[in-house]
Amino acid sequence: MQIEYYDIMEQMKAQGIVFLEDVTAEQLDRVQERYGIVFPEMLRRFYMMGMPVSDGFVRWLDESPEYTETVRRKLKAPIRGILTAVELEEVWPPAWGICPEEEEQALEMAAERLKGAAVLIPLYAHRYMVCLPDTDDAPVLSVYGGDIIYYGADLKNWLQIEFCGLSQQTVFESELPEIPGWQELIG
């Protein structure tokens, strides 16, 4: 398992992606505490092997107030994106029932539906790893406003697709878990 991740990291480095080495469990614990999140175990292990910090990646260890606010916005972006798409009448999954005609009611209903949604951890650009209870690894989604698709069956699969040329078709060759709050929105 570790060899495969190191191979992926080497391919990423060959593309100019910079990694922060020697990330500790204590540093990751502080990040989780700062943002009120819990990294899936596989993501923690990957970050401890080396945390990508090039443009597009979340620089989790940057504690500056400005960057901390940027990360907080990234954590809220998927929900905000869906609510904006509902407001613009671009998204309303059939599983949510009939969309109220009043915009305010539609937004309230959508916000209520999203309350129990699984937390999405920003990884790179608009790619997010799903946090599922009792799961060491989870799918990666591409979330851009109301456009949500699977982009990796798990962390390794996503890294291989995003940075190593693996076909995105491999996502659908895997057994994908139900993602609370997001499943009916995934296209």
Side-chain angles (χ1 to χ4, degrees):
M1 172 192 68
Q2 294 236 345
I3 300 287
E4 294 173 19
Y5 277 99
Y6 283 118
D7 291 342
I8 292 168
M9 289 171 67
E10 289 305 313
Q11 289 185 49
M12 292 170 72
K13 288 177 184 178
Q15 296 171 43
I17 296 169
V18 176
F19 284 82
L20 183 62
E21 306 290 332
D22 302 319
V23 175
T24 66
E26 293 76 22
Q27 287 173 303
L28 294 175
D29 290 343
R30 284 195 303 272
V31 168
Q32 292 178 140
E33 187 176 314
R34 180 180 318 120
Y35 296 109
I37 59 175
V38 177
F39 291 128
E41 186 58 31
M42 200 67 243
L43 184 59
R44 280 181 66 89
R45 288 190 219 155
F46 178 69
Y47 282 158
M48 289 172 68
M49 286 184 253
M51 181 182 288
V53 293
S54 295
D55 285 346
F57 288 94
V58 178
R59 297 186 317 273
W60 291 106
L61 301 184
D62 184 338
E63 296 180 8
S64 70
E66 300 82 17
Y67 196 75
T68 298
E69 186 55 35
T70 296
V71 173
R72 290 187 195 291
R73 281 194 308 273
K74 285 181 179 285
L75 285 162
K76 294 176 185 174
I79 300 266
R80 275 196 334 264
I82 293 300
L83 294 177
T84 298
V86 166
E87 185 176 23
L88 296 172
E89 298 180 8
E90 297 172 343
V91 169
W92 191 268
W96 286 3
I98 297 171
C99 181
E101 288 187 31
E102 291 292 321
E103 181 181 292
E104 190 173 313
Q105 287 178 325
L107 287 170
E108 286 175 14
M109 191 172 169
E112 185 63 31
R113 286 293 207 150
L114 293 168
K115 270 188 181 172
V119 173
L120 302 182
I121 303 291
L123 299 172
Y124 172 75
H126 50 273
R127 308 291 192 248
Y128 289 80
M129 187 171 199
V130 180
C131 286
L132 297 172
D134 304 319
T135 304
D136 287 345
D137 210 352
V140 173
L141 302 177
S142 176
V143 181
Y144 191 76
D147 183 21
I148 302 174
I149 62 169
Y150 284 104
Y151 216 84
D154 54 32
L155 181 64
K156 182 171 47 171
N157 181 241
W158 167 68
L159 289 166
Q160 291 174 316
I161 290 167
E162 191 81 49
F163 302 104
C164 303
L166 187 66
S167 167
Q168 195 175 359
Q169 186 60 35
T170 62
V171 173
F172 304 103
E173 295 168 359
S174 303
E175 185 74 27
L176 297 169
E178 183 82 14
I179 302 175
W182 298 102
Q183 196 65 46
E184 56 270 1
L185 294 162
I186 298 172

